[in-house]
Amino acid sequence: MSWAQKTEMKVFYFPRLLFVLVLFFTMRGFALTIGEDAGTLIEDTQAESLGKKNKEKLSGFFVAGFVGPQWIRSEGGHLDPGNKAVSINNDFSVIFSPTFGYYWFDPKRLGHFSFTLELTSAYNGSSISLNQGSRIQTLSTNTGLVFLFGTVGYRLTRWEPIVGIGTGIGILALHGEGVQIVPTALADIGFRYHWNDKWSLRIESFMGWLGPSKLSVGSQEVHSIQYVSNNFVVGIGYALGR
């Protein structure tokens, strides 16, 4: 083959090869662009879906259950006759709390704010150690609580920090002492995490107050006992009727 024929063949095939290469890289770039656009579209769709849910009115009744540790300390406590001060120690205990309430969330009227009104009950059993000089007496006690509780939340799509306050009655059942009904109050801080419109996780820390109450030690009586508790609870909530 002469040099002229070789040159003619190179001139003949080179434009075709160049066209194929240009077409290949053009299609590859187009495919990558489609993939990126599809990924962006999915992310935008998910974000839009969450955004729409966060703009919907999600109000209704709910139920929840909580469990967690409780640390109790006693304040006050005076022994009659003589009005002598005594110290009282409380053991660590576990608190159980079922809840029924109503959840308000209307972004068009309230923005990000949400509100709940809850009827809450709680139960725990613990031991009380009464220190009177060198004498120590241990009593077992069962405590039931029923209170009306309200929270204010600030909902951010799934996360929702909350604060709350409540008041009600405490029912004390000391071993051999009968039943006493005393006032109770609590303050709360925590958050909710909404898995979806039905289920939510709730983690809270609250301080409770209970009292004043009394108990008997032989023929003497200890009065003006007030209990303060620190509690950390984890709960699961379920929305009804959504």
Side-chain angles (χ1 to χ4, degrees):
M1 184 179 291
S2 66
W3 180 84
Q5 290 176 330
K6 291 181 179 180
T7 303
E8 185 179 352
M9 290 183 65
K10 289 180 181 179
V11 172
F12 178 77
Y13 285 111
F14 180 75
R16 294 188 178 186
L17 178 61
L18 181 63
F19 174 76
V20 171
L21 291 174
V22 170
L23 181 62
F24 171 76
F25 285 109
T26 301
M27 293 302 294
R28 183 179 179 185
F30 182 67
L32 290 174
T33 302
I34 292 176
E36 291 174 357
D37 290 344
T40 304
L41 181 60
I42 291 173
E43 292 177 358
D44 291 344
T45 302
Q46 291 175 343
E48 184 180 356
S49 177
L50 290 174
K52 286 182 178 179
K53 287 182 178 297
N54 213 34
K55 294 178 181 179
E56 293 175 358
K57 182 178 179 181
L58 299 173
S59 299
F61 291 101
F62 70 92
V63 292
F66 300 88
V67 64
Q70 181 181 59
W71 295 269
I72 309 172
R73 62 184 185 275
S74 301
E75 297 181 353
H78 294 83
L79 186 64
D80 283 335
N83 200 33
K84 297 179 180 179
V86 295
S87 62
I88 301 174
N89 297 323
N90 300 84
D91 294 338
F92 165 86
S93 62
V94 176
I95 189 169
F96 301 91
S97 178
T99 296
F100 174 78
Y102 192 88
Y103 177 79
W104 284 278
F105 180 65
D106 188 350
K108 292 183 179 180
R109 295 183 179 181
L110 304 174
H112 287 276
F113 288 98
S114 67
F115 301 88
T116 67
L117 184 62
E118 307 172 18
L119 181 63
T120 301
S121 60
Y123 168 81
N124 79 303
S126 63
S127 298
I128 299 174
S129 298
L130 178 65
N131 303 321
Q132 182 186 356
S134 60
R135 181 183 177 186
I136 300 177
Q137 183 175 353
T138 302
L139 302 172
S140 62
T141 177
N142 295 308
T143 305
L145 304 171
V146 179
F147 48 88
L148 196 62
F149 184 71
T151 69
V152 178
Y154 192 82
R155 186 160 179 173
L156 302 168
T157 309
R158 296 187 186 278
W159 295 94
E160 185 177 11
I162 60 174
V163 294
I165 192 170
T167 186
I169 60 171
I171 305 170
L172 293 176
L174 292 167
H175 180 70
E177 296 289 328
V179 175
Q180 301 177 56
I181 297 178
V182 297
T184 185
L186 58 87
D188 170 273
I189 186 170
F191 70 87
R192 299 185 189 95
Y193 179 80
H194 298 271
W195 283 305
N196 50 46
D197 291 346
K198 288 285 188 181
W199 294 96
S200 63
L201 171 70
R202 191 159 152 177
I203 298 178
E204 300 176 41
S205 176
F206 65 89
M207 177 175 288
W209 170 80
L210 185 69
S213 61
K214 60 184 180 179
L215 59 87
S216 298
V217 182
S219 60
Q220 297 177 305
E221 182 179 90
V222 181
H223 62 85
S224 302
I225 305 171
Q226 300 184 55
Y227 301 99
V228 178
S229 66
N230 296 98
N231 310 265
F232 180 83
V233 295
V234 177
I236 300 295
Y238 181 77
L240 302 173
R242 290 184 194 168

